Amino acid sequence: MSRVALFLNGQRPDKIPDLQQFVQIFCTDGAYAYLKELNILPDVVSGDFDSISTAEIPAEIEVIVTPDQNFTDFEKALMIIKERNFTEVYVYGSSGMEHDHFLGNLTSGLKFKDQLTIIFFDDFSYYFFADKEVFLEGYKNRIISLYPFPVVKGIITRGLKYPLNNEDLDLTKRIGTRNKATEEKVQISHKEGNLLIFIKL
């Protein structure tokens, strides 16, 4: 298993996941404060350390200072995770609070979508950039939103209340939010573009 958790300095999660499912726990420097309050000891803290000092981090935690301002702390953490040959990242604290950070985090996730499996979690939903074909099971009656980033072509869905049959979504013309799974098994495929799928918890 090569799944890791990455905590960012967005809205603090109300529910902390089962941390036993992760090989390692990473966090950015800004997220360390709330993990400390929750008595969660990450394995790695990385970032430019503009919000806390490295001296505040216990010696048993690995500290990686990443001062390059051409990249966000999230991107730099993803680089470290990729370099260490982990393949799947569950991201917490990516949304909420400052919305420009949220949009920036989505953009960073998009940059790495072909290199890592990245799944974002918040207190309302989980979301990810879809492969060309996605199979979902066990979400009947759950809200599923399809969001083009910014244009997606040739979308075909099965098992949704409002099906798409080789249709396009465009951020400025038509988006696919607030659809609903009507079957236990849902299939979503697309031909071109970057499709963000939100599944309500």
Side-chain angles (χ1 to χ4, degrees):
M1 184 179 71
S2 59
R3 178 187 299 162
V4 300
L6 172 58
F7 290 87
L8 305 180
N9 191 27
Q11 184 173 330
R12 169 177 164 170
D14 281 342
K15 296 181 180 179
I16 299 299
D18 176 11
L19 300 178
Q20 298 300 315
Q21 65 181 304
F22 304 113
V23 176
Q24 285 194 326
I25 299 170
F26 290 75
C27 76
T28 57
D29 55 350
Y32 176 74
Y34 73 74
L35 290 186
K36 182 179 179 181
E37 289 179 5
L38 295 169
N39 293 315
I40 296 173
L41 197 68
D43 297 289
V44 181
V45 181
S46 66
D48 53 17
F49 288 88
D50 57 352
S51 55
I52 62 170
S53 166
T54 56
E56 298 178 46
I57 311 295
E60 63 267 30
I61 297 175
E62 182 180 2
V63 172
I64 303 176
V65 181
T66 55
D68 190 345
Q69 295 300 312
N70 292 311
F71 302 96
T72 66
D73 282 350
F74 179 32
E75 287 180 80
K76 290 179 281 190
L78 290 176
M79 291 177 190
I80 294 167
I81 289 168
K82 180 178 178 294
E83 287 170 359
R84 297 189 174 191
N85 295 317
F86 297 113
T87 58
E88 188 173 13
V89 188
Y90 281 20
V91 181
Y92 301 88
S94 62
S95 63
M97 299 174 69
E98 298 179 5
H99 298 308
D100 57 337
H101 280 177
F102 173 53
L103 291 173
N105 289 335
L106 290 179
T107 303
S108 297
L110 175 60
K111 290 180 183 179
F112 283 83
K113 82 177 187 70
D114 295 326
Q115 304 171 58
L116 294 165
T117 297
I118 303 171
I119 305 176
F120 298 89
F121 292 83
D122 59 30
D123 295 329
F124 308 99
S125 60
Y126 77 89
Y127 38 101
F128 55 91
F129 284 99
D131 293 332
K132 285 293 188 286
E133 190 165 37
V134 173
F135 296 91
L136 304 171
E137 190 167 356
Y139 296 104
K140 187 175 182 179
N141 297 320
R142 199 85 64 87
I143 297 295
I144 296 179
S145 293
L146 308 181
Y147 194 85
F149 211 81
V151 178
V152 180
K153 296 183 178 181
I155 303 172
I156 299 173
T157 67
R158 300 287 183 268
L160 295 181
K161 183 177 181 179
Y162 306 107
L164 295 172
N165 186 18
N166 199 27
E167 298 174 57
D168 302 341
L169 293 178
D170 186 317
L171 187 60
T172 62
K173 297 176 182 178
R174 180 194 185 195
I175 58 176
T177 57
R178 311 303 292 180
N179 211 324
K180 190 175 185 179
T182 56
E183 306 290 340
E184 286 295 335
K185 294 182 180 180
V186 173
Q187 180 180 352
I188 302 167
S189 64
H190 69 282
K191 294 177 181 176
E192 296 179 32
N194 298 301
L195 180 64
L196 192 59
I197 297 179
F198 288 80
I199 301 175
K200 187 174 180 180
L201 295 175

